Amino acid sequence: MSTEIFGFDGVNVWVDGLVRVLLIVGFMTVVVMGLIYGERKILARFQQRLGPTRTGPVGLLQSVADALKLVGKEDLRPRNADAWTFELAPYLVFVPVFLGFVIVPFVLDWQVRILELGLLYFVAVTGINIVGWIMAGWGSDNRYAMIGGMRAAAQGISYELPLVLSLLAVAMVVEVPSDSATGESLRGSLNLNEIIAAQAEIPNLVWQPLVLIVFFIAALAELNRTPFDIPVGESEVVGGPFVEYSGIRWSMFFLAEYAALLIMSLIFAAVFLGGWAWPAGLFQDDPWPRWAQALLVTGKAGLFIFMVFWVRASVPRLRIDQLMSFTWKILLPLMFAQVLINGLVLVYDWPEIVLTVTGLVGVLVLVMAVDRAVRHPRPRPAPATQLEGEAAS
Amino acid sequence: MRGILKSLATTLSTFSRRPVTRLYPEGHRDLPERDRAFPVLLWDKDIDEPFCTGCHACERACPVECMTVTMTDNPNHTTNDGNSKRRKIVDKFYIDYARCMRCNICVEVCNFEAIAMNNTWQGHETSVYDRADLVMDLPQLLVQSKAKQLEEWVPE
Amino acid sequence: MSTDDNAAGTAEEAQVEVVDTFDDTIWDTVNRTLRAVDVRPERSALDLIIHIPHADIIRGLRMLKQDADLQFNYLRCLTAVDNESEGIDVVYQLYSVPKNINLTVKTTLPNENKVIETATTVWKAANWLERETAEMFGVSFSGHPDPRPLLMPEDIDMSDTYPLLKSHPFAEIDVLQGEILGHDRDAEGEG
Amino acid sequence: MVVDTSATEFETQDLLLNVGPQHPSTHGVFRMVLEIDGELVKDLVPYIGYLHRGAEKLCENNDFRQGIGYMDRTEYLAAHNAELSYVMAVEALAEIEVPERAQWIRMILCELNRISSHFMFLGAFGVDVGVFGTPFIYGWRERERIIDLFEEISGDRMMFAYFRAGGLAWEVPLNFPERVREVLESARQGVKDFDGLLTQNEIFIARTKNVGVITADDAIEMGMSGPTIRASGVPLDLRKTEPYLQYDQISFETITADGGDVFDRYLVRLQEISQSIDLIEQCLERLEDGPIMPEKMPRMLRLPEGEVYIRTEAPRGEYGIYMVSKGGNKPHRLKVRSACLSNLQALKQMCVGQYVADAIIVLGSIDIVLSEVDR
């Protein structure tokens, strides 16, 4: 069995696979270090601070120094920890995220594999890391970690749904290049390259504003980012499942977190902002040269990442019950409605502007629902009226 | 949602402002003249001896008892063919910076304006590895004033 | 300023001597409220002080809280004063939120038997304050709902001496200076 | 907790969660043991005393000037207010008349300290609620400017030791009014930033409204004070109810809210910053030249016999000093009435039945300073 890589024909599939894995891991590690530096600098600017300045020019080598420090640190395991669970957990968080990179389209034809069911593969694979979180929470023999792990599980599973539904909503209406044999226009694809190519002129952002917002929110939750950083909430559960980890294992969690951020941003760029295709398709039929595509994708992904950082600097954390209500009572019904409307548009061949209009209405409903939820909060659990025993101690 | 957008706008407005932090060990802030670090003794440059006569006033007034003073006859006194008017002079002076609470009382009770609070960065950056190294003896207490690195501020 | 609060004169003398000077205070109302209790007034620099015998203290405090003209519903502070041979004063600083008036209530406990009824039944605010007073002065508040120590370490037995009593010794502190330290650096060497 | 052990049902056990003394949100060395059922708090037992240094005993063995330094350390976020209570107690016992200029300057400094302390609260509280660092830096930024001013005046940034029985230790710098106005200008900007960042944020409102409610009656019963009780609708502000210094000379309204929840405590403090800014401006207008100490002050103060309970409105509530003098240059008994201690007593009542995350912000909303609680 042989395949082709970088124009070399007849390469053994195993060698091919290894090269691709190494490339991805190496590339990712470097990019994640850049991301961490970027986050620290950007957050610092939001807070009128300087951020890292010491290592290297304007602190550029800070992440390298951190990585070296983490690798050099002792890998501690609490005595009562469940050894296997504790030690394996980081891999179960780390590996799925990197598996997700298989389908990420960086630029045209530059990706590990083009999968026909790319999006399905993506949501299937990245969903696994919840197991790793629970294992970390359980295995640490720490109550903060356990609470954090449980929160992570609840949150991860709940927000998986709006995330999948939002991707589904987009995938079902995507226009696939017409089959040359029949000349019929086809709808619906899970292949990311096709989804991107279909947005050459108008990105999905225009047709699916609600889906975009829901995807952004759900992605924040999936990434455990503020305001959904409940599992790791520093001021409550002091790091949650990570609280007992140190050294290399901790850095694996960290790496996975930022790698996931990068994947999400690339998927976001691909699914909603037209990846490498838009706005190039507006001016010419051929795609732009690869470097321009790369810049384009970087810019779009960077926008998403900047938004994530910006939100992190500005918003408080939700509480666990609010988080759950928000997804099950607001996001999920909205997404079901959107999927339904997309289906109606497909079946009855309504003009696409219907999508935009309903999407905007959906955004309005979302805003109003949030406002209403804030104005009329759920009644609190009945306060303990009787404090007997050590009264008020 | 409006409130969240307002929050985002607020952080964006601070994004555009100048940072308020500074690179600390390189960029020292100017200290006001009244700044109080730890007490140091002052050097009488005219006569080339400390102002302190070892009178124990500060030692007695110190709330945390961080000072130890001993007094001796001044070898430089006029009776000994010296040029000093001080009959007695400080012999040993110890201040335990680890215990000092920087309350300025020693400066207030001093009758000879011989002690002042250090108002330079040198007085603030006194990290050591051993607490015993924070017990300052007479030469250490006088070194800054002797080298004229100090413009002391003493309340009237 | 304190006029005569010394225990030198007897209580009766003090009362006779002082009563006239309480015109501008709430003494009349307090006295009327506490008819059933043996009360003696005194002046502090700011507030009126009343002395109540320790057997009647909670009854008195509850009257003060429930009286419609006084309504001392707010306990500012509760502490004790060690008067050495003359026993221990337990001091209650009361405030009336509706009437905006202050009152200090004092009661003296003999050194042999430092037991007093708890005031947590009157104000919940007394809870921690009493716990603190108990561990600092050895006053035991009978009926306290949660008589654990508050500030002192749990693993040190403080039952024989109490930190804020005048008889409690100061800790010995190692003085890190002068000759004791062996401050001759050259002799000490590195290390 | 009701545990039904019948064979058909699972047996559930409540989890004990130890928060503190080393926890990022306990604002020092406070410890509470939460008994939780899932995410709901069923019981809470606070433990304090980790920072107990015996400030009262120390003060009883130091004279009236030496004690001032110890007062700073009981309440390090509002040391001017702590010193004020102490020196006022000495003045009341010694019947010292404080010159007017000294009183105005004391008021300005205390109000500035209130602003800086409240900014500190807003910052720490914002972090408790979960904003990553931004409010902390906002609060720190404004506090830093005020502290710089304090340093120019008293020479120290936190442990001022600037008030003396009778007045002030030394005269303020010549550019004092201008510098104060500069600082106030930036404090206004800080209030604006906080207002924009938090007050209307839906997530913030959702997190804080109706959380940790305590009613006015309970608050009085618990002996709470300061912004914490005013947020419950009790207009208990010693600056208004029992004016000291020159507070009866200037006009201001007691700020209250009626929810008694975490949000109201936040809001009351935010508004008090603006109020203090107004107050300081009124003080600056009334500030005139004059002596800062009475003419005849003995070198070593000796008090006559007597006792006094002085209370002033510190940023966290009523900071009281109960001083008993039996003559001599040292107090016979000195009791520090800590506002935080009394406020903290109500913690259990506010937290039981809420979520774990709420317990954290309720604790944050009390704005404790552990050195004041433990003394």
Side-chain angles (χ1 to χ4, degrees):
Chain A
M1 286 236 286
S2 56
T3 178
E4 179 248 328
I5 182 169
F6 294 132
F8 295 106
D9 257 331
V11 182
N12 183 300
V13 277
W14 289 100
V15 175
D16 170 59
L18 198 65
V19 168
R20 283 171 197 261
V21 164
L22 286 181
L23 268 178
I24 285 293
V25 172
F27 169 74
M28 281 316 303
T29 314
V30 172
V31 172
V32 163
M33 287 208 243
L35 270 184
I36 294 171
Y37 172 77
E39 162 150 41
R40 292 180 62 174
K41 270 293 190 196
I42 289 172
L43 273 179
R45 288 301 305 132
F46 275 123
Q47 299 168 356
Q48 290 187 272
R49 288 187 288 121
L50 291 168
T53 50
R54 299 279 159 179
T55 31
V58 289
L60 269 171
L61 296 177
Q62 184 66 45
S63 296
V64 182
D66 284 349
L68 283 177
K69 182 207 76 172
L70 282 173
V71 171
K73 262 177 131 177
E74 190 185 352
D75 183 19
L76 292 170
R77 191 179 76 213
R79 192 187 300 154
N80 291 336
D82 187 334
W84 278 94
T85 324
F86 184 82
E87 306 261 324
L88 270 181
Y91 297 98
L92 274 155
V93 174
F94 180 78
V95 172
V97 171
F98 277 75
L99 282 179
F101 274 102
V102 168
I103 50 96
V104 169
F106 297 102
V107 294
L108 178 61
D109 291 344
W110 271 30
Q111 62 193 92
V112 181
R113 284 281 182 268
I114 300 173
L115 296 184
E116 209 47 50
L117 295 176
L119 275 181
L120 180 66
Y121 170 84
F122 169 74
V123 291
V125 160
T126 50
I128 296 172
N129 70 4
I130 296 169
V131 180
W133 285 75
I134 296 186
M135 280 169 70
W138 176 258
S140 304
D141 187 44
N142 181 309
R143 288 169 190 191
Y144 290 115
M146 198 172 84
I147 294 176
M150 294 301 158
R151 286 174 169 189
Q155 175 178 334
I157 292 169
S158 311
Y159 278 83
E160 201 77 41
L161 293 173
L163 188 80
V164 171
L165 282 175
S166 64
L167 291 177
L168 174 72
V170 172
M172 66 193 285
V173 292
V174 154
E175 247 178 292
V176 185
S178 52
D179 193 333
S180 52
T182 58
E184 267 180 71
S185 164
L186 293 176
R187 285 290 187 101
S189 167
L190 288 168
N191 184 331
L192 270 168
N193 269 330
E194 287 176 6
I195 293 177
I196 294 172
Q199 301 176 62
E201 281 164 16
I202 305 171
N204 280 333
L205 153 75
V206 176
W207 306 128
Q208 310 281 1
L210 173 68
V211 178
L212 177 131
I213 289 174
V214 172
F215 177 87
F216 183 73
I217 294 172
L220 281 178
E222 279 289 296
L223 296 169
N224 296 312
R225 285 272 160 181
T226 319
F228 305 105
D229 59 341
I230 297 172
V232 292
E234 179 68 24
S235 59
E236 293 157 23
V237 289
V238 272
F242 310 152
V243 69
E244 294 288 0
Y245 283 90
S246 64
I248 186 85
R249 271 171 223 287
W250 187 81
S251 60
M252 281 167 76
F253 280 117
F254 210 58
L255 198 60
E257 201 181 317
Y258 281 86
L261 174 63
L262 185 67
I263 294 195
M264 277 297 179
S265 68
L266 288 168
I267 297 279
F268 180 80
V271 174
F272 294 99
L273 301 182
W276 36 261
W278 181 80
L282 288 176
F283 312 115
Q284 57 191 79
D285 288 340
D286 301 329
W288 282 354
R290 287 227 166 91
W291 62 266
Q293 289 179 16
L295 271 184
L296 207 57
V297 173
T298 313
K300 287 170 178 173
L303 188 72
F304 177 87
I305 292 171
F306 182 79
M307 278 300 295
V308 170
F309 293 164
W310 188 7
V311 168
R312 184 173 182 203
S314 316
V315 208
R317 183 183 306 127
L318 276 168
R319 202 172 55 212
I320 184 81
D321 63 316
Q322 294 163 344
L323 170 102
M324 299 306 264
S325 319
F326 184 57
T327 172
W328 291 103
K329 294 181 187 164
I330 298 182
L331 289 188
L332 208 57
L334 274 174
M335 281 330 290
F336 277 134
Q338 180 74 48
V339 169
L340 186 72
I341 286 166
N342 286 6
L344 289 174
V345 168
L346 283 186
V347 171
Y348 294 105
D349 250 343
W350 286 344
E352 291 209 312
I353 192 75
V354 174
L355 287 177
T356 312
V357 172
T358 50
L360 288 175
V361 170
V363 173
L364 208 63
V365 171
L366 177 66
V367 170
M368 278 160 59
V370 169
D371 278 354
R372 193 180 158 278
V374 169
R375 267 202 315 277
H376 306 288
R378 200 165 62 90
R380 312 219 28 100
T385 43
Q386 215 50 45
L387 296 171
E388 71 251 12
E390 26 157 47
S393 66
Chain B
M1 286 292 182
R2 253 203 328 274
I4 292 176
L5 291 179
K6 202 172 167 193
S7 297
L8 290 172
T10 309
T11 40
L12 195 66
S13 87
T14 42
F15 191 84
S16 57
R17 289 184 219 161
R18 250 166 14 100
V20 288
T21 53
R22 68 179 78 221
L23 277 176
Y24 160 56
E26 286 100 44
H28 278 135
R29 191 170 66 85
D30 288 339
L31 289 178
E33 60 167 3
R34 296 180 178 195
D35 181 79
R36 302 205 310 255
F38 292 101
V40 288
L41 294 181
L42 300 178
W43 188 257
D44 190 346
K45 282 147 202 134
D46 302 335
I47 315 177
D48 225 29
E49 65 180 19
F51 281 113
C52 179
T53 59
C55 69
H56 298 279
C58 51
E59 190 185 2
R60 275 195 296 268
C62 181
V64 290
E65 298 169 18
C66 70
M67 295 174 163
T68 310
V69 192
T70 53
M71 174 195 272
T72 185
D73 290 329
N74 191 355
N76 196 25
H77 188 245
T78 36
T79 52
N80 298 343
D81 302 329
N83 52 358
S84 168
K85 289 206 176 75
R86 296 184 186 87
R87 193 178 296 278
K88 299 279 186 183
I89 197 148
V90 60
D91 178 29
K92 294 203 172 86
F93 203 119
Y94 296 107
I95 302 182
D96 186 351
Y97 277 7
R99 294 184 70 188
C100 173
M101 65 193 262
R102 301 169 14 258
C103 60
N104 207 44
I105 289 178
C106 50
V107 181
E108 280 167 46
V109 296
C110 186
N111 298 318
F112 306 96
E113 302 206 350
I115 191 166
M117 303 304 270
N118 196 339
N119 57 4
T120 64
W121 274 104
Q122 226 176 321
H124 285 282
E125 293 162 340
T126 51
S127 309
V128 291
Y129 283 103
D130 183 1
R131 281 189 191 195
D133 292 341
L134 283 172
V135 182
M136 298 292 159
D137 54 14
L138 189 61
Q140 284 172 308
L141 290 170
L142 281 167
V143 64
Q144 270 192 288
S145 179
K146 223 171 175 176
K148 298 182 184 165
Q149 293 163 338
L150 201 67
E151 280 183 41
E152 74 276 4
W153 183 83
V154 179
E156 80 281 8
Chain C
M1 208 64 312
S2 82
T3 46
D4 65 331
D5 61 311
N6 251 339
T10 66
E12 263 173 56
E13 265 177 6
Q15 198 165 0
V16 170
E17 189 185 335
V18 172
V19 158
D20 293 346
T21 65
F22 287 102
D23 286 345
D24 55 338
T25 66
I26 52 170
W27 165 240
D28 290 339
T29 331
V30 172
N31 197 20
R32 183 171 47 71
T33 309
L34 297 179
R35 289 184 297 278
V37 183
D38 181 21
V39 192
R40 175 166 64 86
E42 191 191 313
R43 251 172 195 276
S44 84
L46 272 181
D47 310 321
L48 175 73
I49 306 175
I50 59 168
H51 290 261
I52 301 182
H54 62 86
D56 291 330
I57 184 76
I58 296 305
R59 199 155 63 99
L61 290 176
R62 193 168 282 127
M63 286 183 212
L64 287 172
K65 185 185 180 186
Q66 287 165 354
D67 185 80
D69 292 335
L70 295 171
Q71 296 185 35
F72 284 109
N73 54 358
Y74 186 90
L75 179 69
R76 280 193 196 280
C77 185
L78 187 161
T79 189
V81 180
D82 178 20
N83 288 330
E84 288 162 282
S85 59
E86 291 153 30
I88 283 185
D89 285 350
V90 179
V91 187
Y92 303 79
Q93 311 283 352
L94 313 186
Y95 175 64
S96 164
V97 177
K99 305 283 175 192
N100 192 18
I101 43 177
N102 288 284
L103 181 70
T104 305
V105 177
K106 264 190 173 184
T107 183
T108 308
L109 298 178
N111 275 328
E112 314 73 74
N113 185 23
K114 298 191 281 191
V115 179
I116 188 169
E117 224 181 310
T118 175
T120 45
T121 50
V122 189
W123 306 276
K124 280 185 193 161
N127 191 323
W128 283 17
L129 297 168
E130 283 188 353
R131 277 170 72 182
E132 190 193 341
T133 311
E135 69 183 336
M136 294 295 172
F137 291 92
V139 178
S140 68
F141 292 88
S142 61
H144 192 280
D146 181 24
R148 292 173 299 149
L150 183 70
L151 298 174
M152 300 306 283
E154 290 145 15
D155 52 348
I156 298 178
D157 183 23
M158 301 293 292
S159 54
D160 53 338
T161 175
Y162 296 94
L164 282 180
L165 291 183
K166 291 288 167 190
S167 57
H168 184 83
F170 260 143
E172 295 287 329
I173 306 171
D174 293 332
V175 180
L176 260 184
Q177 52 190 234
E179 312 302 328
I180 308 151
L181 182 74
H183 204 69
D184 195 0
R185 269 152 204 267
D186 303 330
E188 199 176 39
E190 289 297 311
Chain D
M1 59 247 70
V2 183
V3 179
D4 189 351
T5 50
S6 60
T8 52
E9 287 190 45
F10 287 116
E11 188 175 334
T12 60
Q13 201 182 354
D14 292 330
L15 187 71
L16 284 181
L17 184 70
N18 182 40
V19 180
Q22 293 116 344
H23 185 280
S25 298
T26 51
H27 300 260
V29 280
F30 174 72
R31 173 176 164 226
M32 53 184 180
V33 177
L34 301 177
E35 189 181 316
I36 54 176
D37 173 15
E39 291 267 346
L40 282 176
V41 178
K42 297 186 104 182
D43 195 7
L44 183 151
V45 184
Y47 292 89
I48 59 172
Y50 294 94
L51 213 56
H52 177 63
R53 295 144 298 167
E56 294 171 8
K57 185 88 174 172
L58 283 167
C59 286
E60 285 167 24
N61 287 280
N62 277 299
D63 70 34
F64 296 109
R65 182 161 57 182
Q66 293 172 333
I68 295 169
Y70 286 113
M71 283 301 115
D72 289 337
R73 282 149 181 86
T74 60
E75 161 69 303
Y76 52 78
L77 287 183
H80 276 315
N81 300 67
E83 282 171 31
L84 179 71
S85 285
Y86 183 82
V87 295
M88 275 173 66
V90 179
E91 284 154 9
L93 285 178
E95 291 182 316
I96 299 170
E97 195 64 34
V98 182
E100 208 168 289
R101 177 176 169 82
Q103 292 197 19
W104 287 113
I105 292 176
R106 279 180 181 185
M107 271 171 75
I108 293 171
L109 292 180
C110 285
E111 291 301 324
L112 275 173
N113 218 330
R114 188 186 314 278
I115 296 175
S116 85
S117 171
H118 280 350
F119 269 125
M120 186 70 216
F121 159 79
L122 294 174
F125 181 64
V127 173
D128 284 347
V129 182
V131 193
F132 179 80
T134 314
F136 204 68
I137 303 286
Y138 285 5
W140 211 273
R141 182 186 76 200
E142 302 310 333
R143 177 168 178 267
E144 196 67 15
R145 290 182 181 141
I146 296 172
I147 283 182
D148 281 349
L149 174 63
F150 287 157
E151 190 183 13
E152 283 164 36
I153 296 165
S154 70
D156 210 309
R157 298 171 68 78
M158 284 172 84
M159 310 300 168
F160 313 112
Y162 180 58
F163 294 170
R164 294 284 187 274
L168 305 168
W170 47 81
E171 184 56 85
V172 291
L174 287 174
N175 62 352
F176 176 69
E178 295 85 65
R179 283 288 289 126
V180 174
R181 287 204 173 90
E182 252 174 63
V183 164
L184 292 186
E185 206 45 57
S186 105
R188 273 203 195 93
Q189 178 63 42
V191 173
K192 219 182 280 170
D193 283 347
F194 269 110
D195 204 32
L197 185 69
L198 294 178
T199 310
Q200 286 172 30
N201 190 313
E202 276 85 1
I203 299 178
F204 181 76
I205 295 174
R207 276 303 299 282
T208 52
K209 274 261 182 195
N210 294 332
V211 171
V213 179
I214 191 150
T215 60
D217 288 343
D218 280 346
I220 292 172
E221 178 78 17
M222 285 287 184
M224 290 164 81
S225 53
T228 327
I229 198 172
R230 290 199 283 277
S232 294
V234 184
L236 196 61
D237 186 339
L238 287 161
R239 294 175 291 177
K240 203 80 185 170
T241 53
E242 297 169 37
Y244 51 97
L245 293 180
Q246 303 280 339
Y247 278 111
D248 46 352
Q249 303 286 311
I250 53 180
S251 66
F252 65 101
E253 290 299 319
T254 305
I255 291 170
T256 57
D258 32 278
D261 54 16
V262 172
F263 182 79
D264 282 343
R265 277 169 229 147
Y266 156 82
L267 208 60
V268 165
R269 288 197 173 90
L270 191 68
Q271 289 170 350
E272 278 190 14
I273 296 179
S274 309
Q275 182 193 40
S276 289
I277 293 173
D278 284 353
L279 279 180
I280 294 170
E281 291 199 326
Q282 293 185 41
C283 293
L284 281 175
E285 280 165 25
R286 307 284 290 270
L287 188 63
E288 282 165 12
D289 283 347
I292 53 161
M293 279 293 246
E295 281 185 8
K296 281 203 180 126
M297 282 293 290
R299 245 180 110 81
M300 174 69 84
L301 258 180
R302 285 176 186 281
L303 297 196
E305 288 194 12
E307 65 173 75
V308 68
Y309 177 73
I310 287 283
R311 53 265 165 180
T312 59
E313 186 71 24
R316 275 159 208 81
E318 174 185 330
Y319 190 94
I321 295 281
Y322 175 60
M323 193 185 273
V324 181
S325 164
K326 302 230 160 168
N329 61 354
K330 290 170 184 164
H332 176 76
R333 169 86 177 105
L334 186 122
K335 158 82 182 167
V336 177
R337 189 270 192 204
S338 150
C340 296
L341 183 89
S342 299
N343 292 350
L344 201 55
Q345 281 196 71
L347 180 68
K348 178 176 176 177
Q349 192 159 358
M350 291 192 267
C351 287
V352 172
Q354 317 261 328
Y355 291 88
V356 176
D358 291 338
I360 301 289
I361 61 168
V362 169
L363 178 66
S365 75
I366 299 175
D367 189 19
I368 46 170
V369 168
L370 262 301
S371 74
E372 192 199 338
V373 175
D374 296 344
R375 287 151 294 155

